[in-house]
Amino acid sequence: MDQAGQAGAATRHFTLPPGSCDTHCHVFGPPDRFPYAPARAYEPTDTPKETLAALHARLGVDRAVIVQASAHGTDNRAMLDALAWRPDAYRGVAVIDNAITDAELEAMAAAGVCGIRFNFVRSLGLWPEPDVFSRSVARAASLGWHVVLHVKDDDILTLHENFAALPVPFVIDHMGRVDPAAGVEQPAFRALLDLLRRDGAWVKLSGAERMVPSPYDGALPYARALVAARPDRILWGTDYPHPNLKAKVDERDLVDLIPAYVADAETRRCMLVDNPARLYGFPAA
């Protein structure tokens, strides 16, 4: 290959297939319309729906799942506003408490919400109250929703049996945020693989930028093991705008990780298009 060819190859990026879905992203603000929670554990970067849409246009993402982040607490209005803006392309995951009414939940379902998120992250001071968790799971079941579990490292072991017994489908964020230095044989990751092999479990291949520095190669063994375990239950997401993360991230680099995660095109399409369509109710691409 001549020098011009080498330069072209160096700048070539992975092209997402039509219908690809970013299953984990957030909107924040604008705070004059959608204020942040007073007791938030971090200061988010203002990321209104227009900013998110511009990123997805640049990356070639056609669909997205907007996940309520803890900085907005249980005030889901920013997420719901984004869903109303692009109802065919967006789905949502809410954060709720016991104060929400059944009518409000039904309105969320009509707007495109299809799940409830729980944060089990001690470092952020987040852990759901048992009564809120159990009642919310029951309400998710009545609506045909799933639950999303943000859990970190060894807490996968602590909560393994609780998660395995859930009566609804469940999605674990960010490859379980396991310790990247401990290897794929570490107990927390083995527990994650065990959960993924059970009916109803899903795992997002997201959060590589939280595990290791760029270019994120240290995340590859974990992603590949998850793909090998259940290619029909893996999802992909950017986690944009990477809340509470100090390192600068180019989301194009996260897209370019995908062929390193998943070697064959059929499985990549499964992860990016078909699996999200099944879980979130998007029409066939």
Side-chain angles (χ1 to χ4, degrees):
M1 182 184 298
D2 60 21
Q3 289 184 343
Q6 289 175 338
T11 58
R12 193 173 299 129
H13 291 300
F14 175 67
T15 300
L16 293 166
S20 288
C21 183
D22 178 354
T23 68
H24 196 104
C25 52
H26 308 284
V27 289
F28 291 106
D32 58 336
R33 291 186 63 201
F34 308 116
Y36 301 129
R40 59 191 178 274
Y42 59 89
E43 197 61 34
T45 300
D46 293 352
T47 313
K49 60 183 184 289
E50 294 86 357
T51 302
L52 178 66
L55 170 77
H56 286 155
R58 179 170 72 88
L59 299 179
V61 170
D62 293 324
R63 296 166 169 173
V65 180
I66 301 177
V67 178
Q68 177 78 353
S70 63
H72 272 299
T74 57
D75 182 352
N76 293 274
R77 287 179 297 160
M79 179 267 291
L80 292 169
D81 177 68
L83 267 56
W85 187 51
R86 293 193 168 178
D88 294 334
Y90 289 168
R91 297 291 183 268
V93 173
V95 172
I96 68 170
D97 56 24
N98 283 345
I100 195 168
T101 66
D102 290 343
E104 288 172 319
L105 288 176
E106 289 166 5
M108 284 186 176
V113 172
C114 51
I116 301 170
R117 192 189 195 203
F118 301 96
N119 279 287
F120 293 89
V121 183
R122 299 181 195 273
S123 60
L124 294 178
L126 300 172
W127 200 275
E129 294 293 331
D131 65 315
V132 174
F133 182 72
S134 59
R135 186 173 183 221
S136 297
V137 168
R139 298 174 92 178
S142 70
L143 290 161
W145 288 1
H146 62 274
V147 297
V148 176
L149 306 168
H150 184 198
V151 61
K152 189 174 181 180
D153 201 18
D154 285 346
D155 283 327
I156 298 171
L157 294 170
T158 305
L159 297 164
H160 177 274
E161 294 307 315
N162 303 77
F163 293 166
L166 285 170
V168 294
F170 61 94
V171 184
I172 295 179
D173 286 340
H174 308 325
M175 296 186 272
R177 296 193 64 180
V178 296
D179 180 359
V184 294
E185 295 301 323
Q186 64 180 287
F189 190 68
R190 303 308 299 177
L192 179 63
L193 287 172
D194 177 74
L195 287 171
L196 181 57
R197 293 186 179 106
R198 297 168 183 254
D199 290 339
W202 304 72
V203 172
K204 292 176 189 170
L205 302 194
S206 58
E209 74 282 8
R210 296 185 182 276
M211 296 175 69
V212 291
S214 177
Y216 315 123
D217 290 348
L220 294 178
Y222 301 93
R224 289 167 176 168
L226 292 165
V227 173
R230 285 298 298 265
D232 60 328
R233 292 297 178 89
I234 52 169
L235 306 160
W236 173 81
T238 61
D239 194 25
Y240 182 78
H242 319 283
N244 203 33
L245 184 68
K246 294 180 180 178
K248 185 175 176 58
V249 179
D250 184 342
E251 291 74 27
R252 181 73 255 178
D253 294 338
L254 300 178
V255 171
D256 290 342
L257 275 177
I258 291 171
Y261 286 164
V262 184
D264 67 284
E266 182 178 352
T267 305
R268 288 198 296 266
R269 179 182 169 82
C270 189
M271 176 179 74
L272 295 165
V273 183
D274 300 336
N275 290 353
R278 284 192 294 125
L279 181 62
Y280 301 107
F282 290 112

